[in-house]
Amino acid sequence: MSNHKKILITGGAGFVGSSLAIKLKIQYPKNHIICLDNLKRRGSELNIDRLKHYGIEFLHGDIRNKEDIESIRDINLILECSAEPSVLAGYNSPEYLINTNLLGTINCLELARKRKSDFIFLSTSRVYPFKTINSLNFTVAKTRFELKNKQDIIGVSAKGYTENFPLQGSRSLYGATKLASELLIQEYQEMYNIRAVINRCGVITGPWQFGKIDQGFVVLWIAKHFWKQKLSYIGFGGEGKQVRDIVHIDDLYNLINIQLKNIGKFNGEIFNVGGGKNISVSLNELTSICEKITGNKIKISKIQDNRNADIRIYLTDNTKVTKLTGWQPKISITNIIEGIHNWIKNNEKQLIKVLK
């Protein structure tokens, strides 16, 4: 049973925030859950009715404005899911990204300090520098790039990246704001005795994610196949061999639930969290699965040049989080893609305006 009777979820109408809110409310129906969101991301407005259906309070506000959250009283937990999650956004609109991802976290930490609430922060694998990642030893297989087990730096093997992977170097403004937020969380934790956990998440996906080219690629890929539209393999030779591990939102919820039920035990920990090597996919492989599930084959063009700050391979080494919490991801690539496809098929009229 969660002792957090009143929970604030920032980014609460986004994919991650709304999904976690609904699962929390189902498991803990007596808990009061507030979802705060500025509704900037297209499609997030569709989640408001879903939240209300489950008896979750929706608050239209922006974490950049401390006035929007100062009136919230008696909260026991802040689940910080808000973010401008696009790496490319930092190259176009740095002010919004910095203010949302850094100033927003500061405002949330101030609220946690004043309300003496616990804090769970969803950070990102993007805190790790992209030039270091792209310098790693790898091999080229038929459908994907693969990490070699022997590497010249610490914190990485064929299993993926651990929390010890070096942090020196550029990581994109998105990654930098998240890492800066992590550092501030650790200071607030020490100075004000705020209990906090940081989860460095890889790619999170599932139904109700409104995927775009720069964020939410799994849903984007399935949607483009569903509606028979064009796609591109961008960068790394244009062969679609770049790899990401992916974690289903339900698997992530299971970890959050373990953490909030025993936050004292995990206080101060930083975890890499993702699908791991077993739940990873290249774009090439994703195309094959989407073709099989949708029955559609689409045109995919090849663009050889890399995008800014793009990376060849990201795999999460979940060794630490599994050892300390017992958690490990369970939902397979095929089940993830089938679930998203069924969601699109069953909500086509509603989603066509957002995803197509």
Side-chain angles (χ1 to χ4, degrees), residues 123-129 166-171 174-176 178-180 182 200 272:
S123 189
T124 172
S125 59
R126 280 289 184 167
V127 299
Y128 300 116
L167 289 169
Q168 295 82 11
S170 175
R171 71 208 79 244
Y174 166 57
K178 286 298 205 177
L179 183 59
E182 287 187 14
R200 290 176 177 162
N272 282 2

Side-chain angles (χ1 to χ4, degrees), residues 8-59:
L8 171 65
I9 301 179
T10 60
F15 158 59
V16 173
S18 63
S19 300
L20 295 178
I22 289 167
K23 292 193 78 65
L24 278 167
K25 191 66 176 176
I26 290 170
Q27 186 157 1
Y28 306 109
K30 293 182 179 178
N31 290 17
H32 182 183
I33 299 173
I34 302 169
C35 284
L36 177 92
D37 203 289
N38 65 4
L39 300 178
K40 181 177 184 287
R41 185 167 176 123
R42 189 178 172 211
S44 56
E45 68 281 356
L46 298 179
N47 284 321
I48 297 173
D49 285 342
R50 293 178 64 232
L51 294 171
K52 288 180 178 174
H53 173 76
Y54 287 95
I56 296 163
E57 181 183 349
F58 173 72
L59 192 60

